[in-house]
Amino acid sequence: MTDRPKLTTTGGAPVPSNQYSLTAGSRGPILLEDYQLIEKMAHHNRERIPERIVHAKGWGAYGDLHITADLSKYTIASCLQQGKVTPMLARFSTVAGEQGAADHERDVRGFALKFYTEEGNWDLVGNNTPVFFIRDPMKFADFIHTQKRHPKTNLRSATAMWDYWSLSPEALHQITILMSDRGLPQTPMNMNGYGSHTYSLWNGKGERFWVKFHFKTQQGHKHFTNEEGESVIGKTREGYQEALFGGIDKGEFPRWTVQLQIMPEMDADKTPYDPFDLTKVWPHADYPCIDVGYFELNRNAENYFAEIEQAAFSPSNKVPGIGYSPDRVLQGRLFAYADAHRHRIGTHYEALPVNAPKCPVHNYVKDGAMNFFGGITSGNPDAYYEPNSVAGSPVEVPAVSEPPLRLTGDADRFSHRIGNDDYSQPRALFNLFDAGQKARLFSNLAAAMGGVPGQIIERQLAHFKLIHADYEGGVRAALASLHGYKADTISAQPTAAE
Ligand code: NDP
């Protein structure tokens, strides 16, 4: 016993008893001065931080990004130069479920990557799908409300989901992927990741290229049907954590091939689709995927809460040579993600070890809750404002200014529905499916529509018909066989909100 450390309060004082409360007499009430008891209870009350509104249930690990191609003509980013190896963290997640949700639910998976580059942190906060349900951040909160619990019943509502979707045809592409085989991956290792948004790369000559990031699984795509997923959940609700953590623990290190699609800047004016629209892909035939390297996950976190729950990813984290694009949803996320972390973790969430850059940090940010590092990291206590004439204080770096965006126009609320083609790309995907994949798509959709009023179902079927008559017919037949659904007496409603 003597070689074990003393149990102490958080103030460092030895604790005489961790078993029995201090009472007035053997049957008397507890004394308020029993600080060890008070501290245990108070701290326990504070063990949880607010869970993420979306992507609450997650699984993560550390690894390395390896760049094998010469990208110097596209970008000055040091982490994207040939031969470079950059340490990283990945966190995968489901979107809608809470922290206690079962892992094997049909849902989009988050695919968030943090690269600890020598020029600062670069976060790519993507999904396992190349597109998303919305193309304007104005719609995000409403969309997510339809995926969460009804305010009265506290249950998920298929009616809310399909009411919203059937009034939002831009969601069709993502719905088709979600309800296809890829909507329920067997493990995080058996799915692709996509940066999803259009970003940009820029080089030393001030030239900008639009870019899409793809991460292709080297473990192969493996999916479960709904029935298989339900059977797994009956045995374990933590299948992804078991697979990812357990695999890495055994020395099985998953890898993803990193690919880029690159578009010259002025091509954005020529494509028949808006290349900044998050509901669209860039067809491979137009912009082929180029292999540029791979990443490997090879180290588990020592403490899940400290390193995975408190991992804070934000698309606003970027490094010189990498830029944003006019993608509206990306623009919204640049604010919303960092703001979510300030709310749920605290002002200095980026000072936590998992989030802290591995390069020196110098800024004039001052004070704030839980400031354990002195705040101003200028290196000189006299340099607590800027501009200043204090020797050695940090100064801005004009050399890393991005080339200007050559896109201008009137400030207005432009409709992105009118004239937009929400049907061709889902059709291209539908046409890729074989008969078995189509049959599973139909039955997954029909299953998800259980209990939804006929008017809403008809409105959605009208959209499926605009993708392909077989799509609509297949879902209609699956609805009839699964729910005894008949359309005869129901008239279709308007197909969009505008
Ligand atoms: P391609 O035939 O060149 O590409 C089709 C891509 O579809 C494949 O490379 C694969 O993407 C993906 N895919 C294959 N099977 C499935 C499935 N069951 N569920 C989801 N995705 C699947 O054609 P296009 O580039 O012209 O794209 C056609 C359609 O493919 C698009 O409308 C889109 O729905 C889908 N797609 C396209 C992607 C792109 O970036 N162009 C990316 C992913 C999907 P991967 O190689 O990424 O595994």
Side-chain angles (χ1 to χ4, degrees):
M1 292 294 278
T2 48
D3 58 354
R4 290 174 64 176
K6 288 177 192 154
L7 178 69
T8 68
T9 64
T10 52
V15 171
S17 171
N18 197 36
Q19 319 302 323
Y20 307 111
S21 306
L22 191 66
T23 54
S26 64
R27 301 182 68 187
I30 291 173
L31 298 180
L32 189 58
E33 71 169 59
D34 189 349
Y35 184 69
Q36 170 65 358
L37 171 67
I38 303 289
E39 182 177 65
K40 274 180 94 169
M41 292 194 296
H43 199 274
H44 191 237
N45 284 345
R46 290 164 177 77
E47 281 181 2
R48 296 287 167 271
I49 57 176
E51 71 171 33
R52 293 164 169 86
I53 303 289
V54 283
H55 298 276
K57 180 80 188 275
W59 322 274
Y62 295 97
D64 304 288
L65 168 70
H66 299 248
I67 298 298
T68 54
D70 180 3
L71 296 173
S72 57
K73 69 179 171 189
Y74 300 117
T75 181
I76 62 165
S78 77
C79 63
L80 292 179
Q81 301 309 314
Q82 193 164 26
K84 196 79 191 170
V85 179
T86 302
M88 61 173 288
L89 171 75
R91 181 179 182 271
F92 310 108
S93 51
T94 42
V95 180
E98 292 96 355
Q99 258 184 354
D103 295 351
H104 284 95
E105 290 181 352
R106 179 170 298 278
D107 198 353
V108 172
R109 265 67 181 161
F111 201 104
L113 309 175
K114 183 184 289 293
F115 303 105
Y116 302 98
T117 90
E118 58 202 24
E119 296 172 305
N121 287 352
W122 169 39
D123 294 359
L124 260 179
V125 197
N127 279 326
N128 71 330
T129 60
V131 296
F132 198 59
F133 298 95
I134 60 170
R135 59 166 79 98
D136 191 317
M138 188 70 94
K139 306 205 52 95
F140 188 72
D142 283 297
F143 163 61
I144 292 301
H145 291 166
T146 71
Q147 304 295 303
K148 294 282 187 174
R149 293 168 187 275
H150 186 284
K152 181 169 182 182
T153 64
N154 201 33
L155 298 170
R156 302 270 300 269
S157 167
T159 296
M161 206 160 75
W162 288 104
D163 188 28
Y164 175 91
W165 277 343
S166 63
L167 292 168
S168 310
E170 68 268 31
L172 282 168
H173 198 178
Q174 181 77 321
I175 292 170
T176 303
I177 296 174
L178 171 63
M179 296 296 171
S180 78
D181 289 350
R182 289 198 186 183
L184 184 34
Q186 287 193 9
T187 77
M189 294 82 87
N190 298 116
M191 63 189 192
N192 287 349
Y194 302 87
S196 305
H197 296 292
T198 297
Y199 290 89
S200 53
L201 297 179
W202 49 274
N203 64 23
K205 290 191 252 172
E207 295 165 325
R208 185 190 294 279
F209 303 84
W210 306 118
V211 64
K212 293 270 197 196
F213 293 92
H214 301 253
F215 306 98
K216 303 284 176 67
T217 172
Q218 292 189 9
Q219 291 64 243
H221 286 279
K222 286 187 192 161
H223 316 109
F224 282 135
T225 62
N226 279 354
E227 294 69 28
E228 289 166 340
E230 282 160 19
S231 144
V232 173
I233 291 171
K235 299 188 190 91
T236 175
R237 298 172 62 78
E238 317 296 341
Y240 275 35
Q241 179 72 4
E242 289 161 8
L244 179 66
F245 187 94
I248 291 175
D249 220 31
K250 281 190 287 190
E252 295 163 8
F253 302 147
R255 286 187 176 188
W256 283 260
T257 303
V258 180
Q259 296 181 331
L260 305 184
Q261 282 179 294
I262 295 176
M263 180 187 288
E265 184 176 16
M266 298 322 283
D267 271 24
D269 292 338
K270 300 180 198 154
T271 52
Y273 47 87
D274 177 357
F276 310 122
D277 177 345
L278 184 56
T279 69
K280 303 279 195 298
V281 297
W282 298 354
H284 291 137
D286 298 351
Y287 299 97
C289 289
I290 307 163
D291 280 7
V292 302
Y294 67 93
F295 76 77
E296 177 184 272
L297 298 183
N298 46 33
R299 182 163 64 89
N300 280 320
E302 291 301 316
N303 183 287
Y304 179 87
F305 179 85
E307 297 164 70
I308 306 299
E309 179 60 10
Q310 292 195 124
F313 301 85
S314 172
S316 51
N317 277 340
K318 69 177 174 76
V319 293
I322 299 172
Y324 310 126
S325 81
D327 177 332
R328 298 174 203 200
V329 181
L330 171 61
Q331 295 284 324
R333 295 176 79 207
L334 297 180
F335 160 73
Y337 276 59
D339 185 58
H341 303 314
R342 287 184 204 106
H343 163 64
R344 61 183 291 272
I345 305 174
T347 310
H348 293 296
Y349 69 93
E350 287 188 296
L352 294 176
V354 69
N355 299 323
K358 307 286 182 229
C359 63
V361 174
H362 301 294
N363 58 53
Y364 294 91
V365 173
K366 197 165 177 289
D367 302 344
M370 302 294 276
N371 184 332
F372 59 90
F373 52 91
I376 302 162
T377 47
S378 70
N380 186 327
D382 292 331
Y384 60 95
Y385 55 90
E386 207 280 334
N388 64 57
S389 51
V390 179
S393 66
V395 287
E396 60 207 17
V397 190
V400 299
S401 302
E402 261 188 72
L405 268 183
R406 290 188 270 182
L407 297 151
T408 52
D410 300 331
D412 204 346
R413 297 180 188 277
F414 295 96
S415 168
H416 43 81
R417 290 257 177 78
I418 294 167
N420 210 328
D421 174 1
D422 291 317
Y423 304 97
S424 293
Q425 292 205 352
R427 185 179 309 123
L429 180 61
F430 183 73
N431 287 335
L432 286 175
F433 295 160
D434 62 25
Q437 288 172 314
K438 284 180 182 160
R440 290 189 290 278
L441 171 73
F442 302 149
S443 67
N444 290 336
L445 281 160
M449 286 180 164
V452 175
Q455 287 185 339
I456 293 175
I457 290 179
E458 288 300 325
R459 201 162 56 200
Q460 187 63 42
L461 287 168
H463 290 304
F464 291 151
K465 194 170 186 174
L466 290 170
I467 296 177
H468 200 293
D470 293 352
Y471 197 151
E472 187 251 6
V475 179
R476 191 178 284 282
L479 282 163
S481 94
L482 204 65
H483 306 300
Y485 175 76
K486 292 195 187 76
D488 313 336
T489 56
I490 310 282
S491 60
Q493 296 297 298
T495 53
E498 44 177 55

